[in-house]
Amino acid sequence: MCAPVSEPPRMPEEFEPKATPRSRFRIIPPAPMRPSLLPDEARFAMRLSILVGCTELAAWAWFARAGPRGAALGWAAGRLLKPAWALLGTRLPRPAVAYALLFLAVFGAAAGLLGGGQFASAALIAVSLPALADLCASCAADSITVERRSTAYAWLDMAQALGGAVGLALGASFAGMAGVVGALALLAGAVGLPELRNRGTPRSTWTADAYLRVLQSPFGSQLVALAFFGAFLAMQPFPKPIPGWAALLLPLAGMAIFARLEPRMPNAVMLPRMALGLAAVGLFVPPVRLLAMGTLFAAIPASVARGAGEMDRPLASSLAWSALALGAAVGAVL
């Protein structure tokens, strides 16, 4: 009982720090690190982006050159099949699915160019079928690790925006040339088909419940509504033709200008709201409608990158682009 008691052991450094006091100088954190792709991943994502961008260019070029045609609703239905092609890619080889869709689109475009108005509606629907963004996004999700996956998603989104804006500008300004350019773009997009091959990982995609969950979220519902109504107002039939040079430059100018303004926006949905306002102004000043469409093409990738969760970006992007296509088709017909 009279034995001396030893002192308790010292606590680890992280619980009982013995370091010197913090510096009196201001501590500045390092700049945020942006995820970047490795060289082989960058080549992979670039070729997938070429495939997606070329198919979007062809689809929007043929849509814009068709005008207020009832087949535009069939074109919109073809653009809504993105999740179906991604699901089919889990059952069949992805390159086979993409090749079959590209073959149908090229065959339909050739029939439309050679057959004239007789095959115009069928060609418009055929060109809309290769909506491969979800298929490519699911391939990127299976092939790139999670810390760099968001960069690949951003590349696919920007490719869709650039291809859609260029296609719309060509179709609205030079309808005759737009059909040929769209068919050539489909052929050029075939460079990305080999990248869809199986890399030894399970082929997966997103479920319908995942799409519904993102659609019901506050950000997803706002973005989808703004994309639909913005395109609906912007693609109303024009009372009189717009000069070709103006129809060519306005969508591209809207995309370029508002893409530079987007980092100054206070939140992720402010730019789509501005695009909707421009589309409403375009009801009274028709050329502004094409400017609004260019703004929407810039707003969707930026809004998805800022407002959607990292794992929800491809879902929010798919819903927004589908809403844009559906709104444009309904606006053009009605």
Side-chain angles (χ1 to χ4, degrees), residues 101-158:
L101 295 173
L102 278 180
F103 176 79
L104 289 175
V106 172
F107 181 79
L113 292 173
L114 299 177
Q118 184 178 1
F119 299 102
S121 297
L124 179 62
I125 296 174
V127 171
S128 72
L129 289 178
L132 302 175
D134 287 25
L135 182 69
C136 293
S138 62
C139 181
D142 293 339
S143 304
I144 300 177
T145 54
V146 65
E147 67 271 11
R148 296 186 296 275
R149 197 176 295 164
S150 59
T151 304
Y153 292 155
W155 283 31
L156 293 175
D157 260 353
M158 290 186 291

Side-chain angles (χ1 to χ4, degrees), residues 303-324:
S303 297
V304 168
R306 289 184 64 177
E310 188 168 349
M311 304 303 293
D312 294 338
R313 287 183 184 180
L315 303 174
S317 172
S318 175
L319 293 171
W321 288 117
S322 298
L324 184 74

Side-chain angles (χ1 to χ4, degrees), residues 224-322:
V224 166
L226 290 170
F228 176 84
F229 288 107
F232 174 79
L233 295 178
M235 295 308 297
Q236 293 291 317
F238 293 96
K240 59 181 181 179
I242 298 177
W245 63 268
L248 178 65
L249 294 179
L250 283 174
L252 302 178
M255 184 179 183
I257 293 171
F258 286 93
R260 302 298 298 175
L261 293 178
E262 196 279 334
R264 305 178 186 274
M265 297 291 114
N267 54 58
V269 294
M270 181 58 67
L271 193 58
R273 290 174 182 173
M274 293 176 63
L276 179 61
L278 285 174
V281 173
L283 296 177
F284 306 98
V285 187
V288 179
R289 299 180 198 173
L290 294 177
L291 191 70
M293 281 300 295
T295 306
L296 284 171
F297 282 117
I300 290 178
S303 297
V304 168
R306 289 184 64 177
E310 188 168 349
M311 304 303 293
D312 294 338
R313 287 183 184 180
L315 303 174
S317 172
S318 175
L319 293 171
W321 288 117
S322 298

Side-chain angles (χ1 to χ4, degrees), residues 67 166 184 253:
V166 172
L184 294 177

